[in-house]
Amino acid sequence: LSLGASLATPVYFKKHGKYKDLVTHHMEIPATARAGFSIHFGNHTDFAFDLKWLFYGESKWLTSGLGWKNEFLILTGIQHWLTPCFALGIGIN
């Protein structure tokens, strides 16, 4: 069993002076939070389950005029390693 979590702050870009009428706020990649676990079945097969939050609604760039809202995602999947360098997997989010 493996547990994991991550938190990323927003990443801001330089304001574009050339497109002031189109881009009224600094462009940014919104903050994210993620937590999950993976269960290892034997040496070659893994099952993973994650919860992920995308904070689009906190970004002035995405909410002003575009109306984006925060998103909550559930991600799950299974992966089987055929060789040490090649794996097959399937998942859904």
Side-chain angles (χ1 to χ4, degrees):
L1 176 68
S2 297
L3 301 173
S6 68
L7 179 62
T9 61
V11 177
Y12 297 96
F13 294 84
K14 181 181 175 187
K15 191 165 184 177
H16 293 279
K18 200 174 192 181
Y19 306 104
K20 289 180 184 177
D21 55 333
L22 295 174
V23 183
T24 57
H25 299 283
H26 288 281
M27 293 176 16
E28 68 180 89
I29 298 171
T32 61
R34 190 171 189 160
F37 67 89
S38 178
I39 299 174
H40 311 287
F41 297 107
N43 292 329
H44 303 292
T45 306
D46 301 322
F47 168 79
F49 180 85
D50 285 352
L51 301 174
K52 186 175 184 179
W53 295 265
L54 303 169
F55 298 103
Y56 293 138
E58 308 306 317
S59 167
K60 289 180 184 177
W61 176 57
L62 294 173
T63 57
S64 64
L66 298 175
W68 287 35
K69 297 181 181 358
N70 293 340
E71 292 287 332
F72 171 72
L73 302 162
I74 299 172
L75 305 96
T76 188
I78 194 162
Q79 177 172 276
H80 182 75
W81 290 91
L82 298 173
T83 70
C85 297
F86 184 76
L88 291 175
I90 188 167
I92 190 165
N93 118 23

